[in-house]
Amino acid sequence: MMKIISHRANKNGPNKDLENTTAAILERIDEGFDVEVDIWRIEKKFFLGHDKPEYEVKLNWINKYSKHLWLHCKNRDALEFLYSNDNKNLNYFFHNNDDYTITSKGIVWCYPGSSTVKNSVYLFPEKFPINMSEIIKHNLYICTDYPLRYQNK
């Protein structure tokens, strides 16, 4: 079965006002989705936000919801802290323009538009259409701004 990841906690398309907010993240989790969030670490504090650190969160909040979070490290300090502090329960990664990267849980994260590989996360099927049989064949996860669109497929 395909796993759906809500990109930045979006539900029905990009919404800059709600992206990466704890309220939207918790709503998506309650709806049964995993959530990709952008995480920063600045001066020993964690923040969520895409282009800049915006919403402070505590490490215990991150750990509490770790089963459902895909943490996209946005700066070196976030990556280094998560990697260096034995955070085995967290699923985190860093990438910029790489075709592929591997999360801390060993799952391949594909750059938007890259071809799929087994057990990988395919980004934005709404922008880069993919045949559903391809998703099933490779046991894919999808990460999308429109999780409701794919919920019953």
Side-chain angles (χ1 to χ4, degrees):
M1 186 167 121
M2 170 180 63
K3 183 88 167 186
I4 302 169
I5 304 164
S6 171
H7 181 243
R8 300 182 196 150
N10 286 311
K11 182 175 183 174
N12 289 309
N15 183 336
K16 299 284 185 198
D17 294 332
L18 295 177
E19 288 183 348
N20 287 302
T21 64
T22 55
I25 292 165
L26 295 178
E27 284 178 21
R28 295 304 80 74
I29 290 171
D30 286 345
E31 293 166 349
F33 300 111
D34 279 4
V35 183
E36 181 268 352
V37 297
D38 298 314
I39 189 162
W40 303 74
R41 187 165 185 263
I42 310 284
E43 297 178 3
K44 299 183 180 181
K45 295 179 182 178
F46 287 100
F47 296 88
L48 303 178
H50 178 63
D51 293 322
K52 63 183 183 223
E54 296 183 81
Y55 312 106
E56 186 176 353
V57 292
K58 302 293 184 197
L59 185 58
N60 63 353
W61 184 91
I62 296 166
N63 281 312
K64 181 176 180 178
Y65 298 103
S66 63
K67 182 178 174 183
H68 304 285
L69 298 177
W70 298 68
L71 303 168
H72 182 176
C73 298
K74 299 301 279 189
N75 67 346
R76 179 182 178 266
D77 200 18
L79 177 65
E80 185 174 48
F81 180 88
L82 296 177
Y83 181 74
S84 300
N85 287 282
D86 197 30
N87 290 291
K88 291 185 170 84
N89 60 318
L90 301 179
N91 191 14
Y92 59 90
F93 63 97
F94 178 92
H95 83 112
N96 202 1
N97 294 320
D98 307 329
D99 286 341
Y100 306 97
T101 193
I102 299 175
T103 76
S104 60
K105 297 279 185 176
I107 298 169
V108 176
W109 189 271
C110 302
Y111 190 78
S114 296
S115 59
T116 62
V117 297
K118 188 156 183 70
N119 195 33
S120 63
V121 178
Y122 187 78
L123 273 71
F124 311 126
E126 62 273 11
K127 294 178 185 175
F128 305 97
I130 185 170
N131 188 309
M132 293 310 272
S133 64
E134 186 77 7
I135 291 172
I136 294 165
K137 174 183 167 187
H138 285 134
N139 301 317
L140 293 181
Y141 302 77
I142 63 166
C143 183
T144 176
D145 288 319
Y146 301 86
L148 294 178
R149 185 183 293 179
Y150 301 94
Q151 192 168 33
N152 296 316
K153 294 193 178 192

